[in-house]
Amino acid sequence: MSGSRSKSGENSEKILTEISGKMTMLISKIDVMAGAFQEIGTLLRTQGKTFENIFDITKKTSENKSPQDGQIALPLLREMNDIQADIEASRQKELIATLWNRSLNERKQSFWNMMRCKYISMIYQEWRSKENPILPEKFLIREIEGECQQETEIRANLALSRLDAEISLLRTRMQRYEEKFNSIDTAMITEISERTSGQIEEKLQGLWKQATKREEEKSATIWLKQDEWFQNYEASYGDKSILKRRKKSFDI
């Protein structure tokens, strides 16, 4: 019995030793493959290429192989290519960091100005269309003691005309700012297309769109606070007079 147990133990130890040896070899091969992929990636970048080229060749070759071979190889190559494209897109972004940041900042300002002009012109137009128009503070006319009604009406009409002109100006500026940030987008997309192509181009364009979307969301958040001010102004407009009343001697 003891001899049988001893022999069984020796066999188990031998099997474990073989498994350990094979695992060591497997890990070593994985390390070698990882290093090879890094070297290939570096070499491809110096040539302005990515794993996408290898993927295309492998895809054509796999068409002559069994479906099972393709199911194993293609997903791995797709993942490798996607990772490599992300890395290269980030590298290209760093190469144009100065242009990228300057363009993004200019676009942010233009988009904010466009949004502000758009919404303020809409608010002013709504105020202007009311039966008793609401004038912004800067267009209110001051009460003049002893002035006749006809003169007051003339000045009131002038104030409304100034509001109409302000609305037109805001709409014109809105169009100018919109053209500005659209031209910045076009210039950046052109720059990306000249520097990259294929999947890397798509990745880099995606990074630009994500960055501009974040800035637009920030602008929208800022506007919500300003819009609240306009709502409060309208709510506290009082008797909706276009006159800025003179304070009486007993007013505080």
Side-chain angles (χ1 to χ4, degrees), residues 126-141:
E126 182 182 352
W127 289 356
R128 179 67 174 85
S129 301
K130 289 181 177 295
E131 183 177 355
N132 295 310
I134 298 176
L135 287 180
E137 180 74 18
K138 61 182 178 180
F139 293 145
L140 289 173
I141 62 175

Side-chain angles (χ1 to χ4, degrees), residues 151-181:
E151 292 174 351
T152 302
E153 289 178 356
I154 292 174
R155 292 197 300 120
N157 289 331
L158 178 60
L160 292 174
S161 296
R162 292 177 63 194
L163 178 57
D164 291 335
E166 182 75 4
I167 293 171
S168 296
L169 279 173
L170 287 169
R171 289 173 175 171
T172 301
R173 289 168 183 164
M174 178 192 72
Q175 294 176 356
R176 174 162 59 86
Y177 289 128
E178 186 173 11
E179 291 173 357
K180 175 65 175 178
F181 76 74

Side-chain angles (χ1 to χ4, degrees), residues 50 52 85 192-193 196-205:
T50 68
E52 186 176 13
I192 291 172
S193 297
T196 60
S197 61
Q199 190 177 12
I200 297 174
E201 180 182 0
E202 294 177 3
K203 294 276 187 181
L204 199 52
Q205 288 182 2

Side-chain angles (χ1 to χ4, degrees), residues 52-142:
E52 186 176 13
N53 305 104
I54 300 176
F55 170 71
D56 291 338
I57 295 173
T58 306
K59 184 177 180 181
K60 293 178 181 178
T61 304
S62 66
E63 292 175 354
N64 299 323
K65 296 183 179 181
S66 66
Q68 291 182 347
D69 292 335
Q71 290 175 0
I72 296 174
L74 292 181
L76 176 60
L77 287 173
R78 287 194 185 98
E79 184 176 356
M80 289 168 51
N81 181 64
D82 194 58
I83 294 173
Q84 177 66 17
D86 285 334
I87 295 173
E88 182 62 18
S90 297
R91 190 181 75 87
Q92 289 292 334
K93 178 185 173 184
E94 289 300 318
L95 292 176
I96 57 173
T98 300
L99 174 63
W100 183 286
N101 294 332
R102 184 178 68 247
S103 299
L104 186 61
N105 185 63
E106 291 178 357
R107 188 192 188 281
K108 175 182 66 176
Q109 295 297 328
S110 295
F111 182 85
W112 164 248
N113 289 332
M114 182 280 297
M115 174 181 283
R116 190 170 183 276
C117 289
K118 175 183 178 180
Y119 288 135
I120 292 179
S121 66
M122 291 171 63
I123 291 172
Y124 283 179
Q125 184 61 59
E126 182 182 352
W127 289 356
R128 179 67 174 85
S129 301
K130 289 181 177 295
E131 183 177 355
N132 295 310
I134 298 176
L135 287 180
E137 180 74 18
K138 61 182 178 180
F139 293 145
L140 289 173
I141 62 175
R142 295 186 179 277

Side-chain angles (χ1 to χ4, degrees), residues 169-222:
L169 279 173
L170 287 169
R171 289 173 175 171
T172 301
R173 289 168 183 164
M174 178 192 72
Q175 294 176 356
R176 174 162 59 86
Y177 289 128
E178 186 173 11
E179 291 173 357
K180 175 65 175 178
F181 76 74
N182 282 333
S183 67
I184 293 173
D185 281 336
T186 300
M188 182 56 66
I189 294 301
T190 300
E191 178 70 21
I192 291 172
S193 297
E194 291 177 351
R195 287 178 167 271
T196 60
S197 61
Q199 190 177 12
I200 297 174
E201 180 182 0
E202 294 177 3
K203 294 276 187 181
L204 199 52
Q205 288 182 2
L207 291 176
W208 173 255
K209 291 176 181 178
Q210 290 174 13
T212 57
K213 183 179 180 181
R214 284 195 298 269
E215 295 300 335
E216 289 179 4
E217 290 173 349
K218 291 179 183 178
S219 294
T221 300
I222 295 173

